[in-house]
């Protein structure tokens, strides 16, 4: 499996996943032209994409969906509980082939996909795991908190893209954010803080995860250095050393690491 995050955060989310026989995108929160440009960095042509999977209907996850899916006739997979909300944001929904799914696992060629609900202020938000043979990758961003169900779904993943959206003190002390917005972000239907992400990573470190990619970092209320430092310090206090027991890096608004998982 080859996987690369091509953009993460409120400016637009885009992740590429490839197996021997399948090529899919998770979210298309950039313009169609920018999606094509970033795919070209991986030597992938837009017409090669077998499917687009959508997490939820917020614009930073579907900005390029209208143009890309209608132009290249790409199938779009959306959980049936959130399908209407995605369609409502589009102008060309009648030109797009949607494939609704429920809570059951499904395949796109040789790629097995599981989904699970995330708590977020959208109509419905999906987290995903991708399985090729025995290698599992999980992606979960845009969630206010985790629970036992979410943790059970992602356990055993060799690679996890996990939200670390904000530093709580930076958010609370940000004068440009109104109180209502702060409450939304900090709430159970908001976004994971660095501390909350650290608590998830602590659990994953004991279940075989080798690599964490901190994702969906806020430009106003976080930084890669703060997220990394906070999380590593939390883990070190609990006997988990970054680089030895688990590796941690960050995504950004630009393409990041390419992982080849054999």
């Amino acid at each position: 499996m080859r996987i690369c995050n091509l953009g993460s955060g409120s400016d637009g989310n885009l992740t590429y996943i490839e197996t021997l026989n399948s090529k899919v995108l998770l979210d298309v929160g950039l313009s169609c032209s920018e999606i094509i440009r970033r795919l070209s960095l991986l030597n992938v042509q837009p017409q090669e994409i077998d499917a687009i999977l959508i997490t939820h209907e917020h614009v930073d996850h579907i900005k390029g969906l209208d143009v890309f899916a209608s132009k290249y006739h790409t199938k779009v997979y959306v959980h049936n509980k959130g399908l209407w909300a995605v369609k409502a944001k589009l102008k060309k929904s009648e030109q797009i082939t949607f494939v609704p799914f429920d809570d059951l696992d499904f395949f796109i060629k040789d790629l097995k996909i599981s989904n699970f609900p995330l708590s977020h202020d959208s109509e419905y938000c999906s987290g995903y795991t991708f399985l090729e043979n025995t290698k599992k990758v999980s992606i979960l961003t845009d969630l206010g908190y985790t629970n036992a169900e979410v943790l059970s779904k992602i356990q055993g993943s060799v690679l996890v893209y996990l939200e670390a959206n904000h530093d709580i003190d930076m958010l609370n002390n940000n004068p440009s954010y109104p109180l209502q917005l702060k409450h939304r972000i900090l709430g159970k239907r908001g976004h994971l803080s660095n501390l909350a992400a650290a608590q998830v990573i602590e659990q994953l470190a004991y279940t075989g995860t080798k690599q964490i990619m901190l994702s969906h970092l806020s430009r106003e209320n976080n930084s890669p250095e703060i997220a990394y430092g906070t999380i590593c310090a939390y883990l070190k206090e609990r006997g988990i050393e970054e680089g030895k027991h688990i590796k941690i890096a960050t995504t950004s608004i630009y393409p990041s690491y390419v992982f080849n998982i054999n």
Side-chain angles (χ1 to χ4, degrees):
M1 188 187 306
R2 182 166 70 137
I3 182 167
C4 179
N5 179 262
L6 296 171
S8 180
S10 58
D11 289 326
N13 296 274
L14 175 68
T15 304
Y16 174 76
I17 304 106
E18 174 188 304
T19 64
L20 183 63
N21 298 310
S22 61
K23 296 177 180 179
V24 305
L25 296 176
L26 176 61
D27 287 335
V28 282
L30 302 168
S31 69
C32 181
S33 60
E34 187 62 19
I35 294 168
I36 294 169
R37 189 187 73 80
R38 297 193 184 194
L39 285 175
S40 71
L41 300 175
L42 300 172
N43 295 315
V44 176
Q45 299 300 313
Q47 58 268 24
E48 296 179 66
I49 300 300
D50 295 299
I52 298 169
L53 296 110
I54 299 297
T55 57
H56 63 294
E57 76 275 10
H58 289 169
V59 68
D60 55 325
H61 296 262
I62 65 166
K63 180 179 179 180
L65 184 59
D66 245 342
V67 177
F68 190 99
S70 61
K71 182 175 182 178
Y72 295 105
H73 309 291
T74 317
K75 292 181 179 179
V76 178
Y77 288 69
V78 186
H79 195 284
N80 55 26
K81 291 182 179 178
L83 179 59
W84 75 266
V86 171
K87 286 185 174 182
K89 294 287 185 73
L90 304 178
K91 296 179 179 179
K92 301 181 179 181
S93 62
E94 294 183 356
Q95 301 176 36
I96 297 172
T97 300
F98 288 95
V99 183
F101 58 84
D102 54 22
D103 298 335
L104 299 177
D105 297 346
F106 59 95
F107 283 85
I108 298 175
K109 295 184 176 178
D110 58 339
L111 182 62
K112 184 179 181 180
I113 299 167
S114 300
N115 72 97
F116 47 94
L118 300 178
S119 177
H120 191 53
D121 59 349
S122 59
E123 180 63 28
Y124 188 88
C125 189
S126 296
Y128 289 93
T129 67
F130 301 91
L131 185 69
E132 183 188 26
N133 299 321
T134 61
K135 299 301 182 181
K136 179 178 175 182
V137 172
S138 295
I139 301 177
L140 58 161
T141 64
D142 297 76
L143 68 161
Y145 74 104
T146 55
N147 54 29
E149 179 186 1
V150 170
L151 289 172
S152 69
K153 287 285 190 178
I154 65 176
Q155 284 180 358
S157 302
V158 294
L159 167 64
V160 176
Y161 288 82
L162 175 68
E163 180 170 67
N165 178 257
H166 59 276
D167 175 86
I168 295 174
D169 289 337
M170 284 183 70
L171 175 60
N172 281 326
N173 295 324
N174 188 334
S176 66
Y177 271 47
L179 188 60
Q180 183 179 3
L181 179 56
K182 293 178 181 179
H183 285 165
R184 173 204 166 241
I185 295 170
L186 292 167
K188 284 194 170 184
R189 287 171 58 82
H191 292 279
L192 279 192
S193 67
N194 294 335
L195 177 59
Q199 293 167 343
V200 175
I201 296 169
E202 180 185 6
Q203 299 299 314
L204 293 175
Y206 297 122
T207 59
T209 298
K210 302 300 182 183
Q211 177 75 57
I212 299 289
M213 292 299 296
L214 305 177
S215 305
H216 215 292
L217 275 66
S218 169
R219 287 194 295 174
E220 294 81 10
N221 302 304
N222 210 356
S223 72
E225 296 77 16
I226 290 172
Y228 177 85
T230 299
I231 290 168
C232 289
Y234 176 93
L235 295 174
K236 188 173 182 179
E237 289 179 356
R238 287 150 182 83
I240 301 169
E241 186 177 342
E242 195 281 326
K244 179 180 180 181
H245 300 110
I246 194 168
K247 294 181 179 179
I248 299 172
T250 58
T251 62
S252 75
I253 60 174
Y254 304 108
S256 59
Y257 302 83
V258 178
F259 294 99
N260 291 289
I261 302 170
N262 300 315

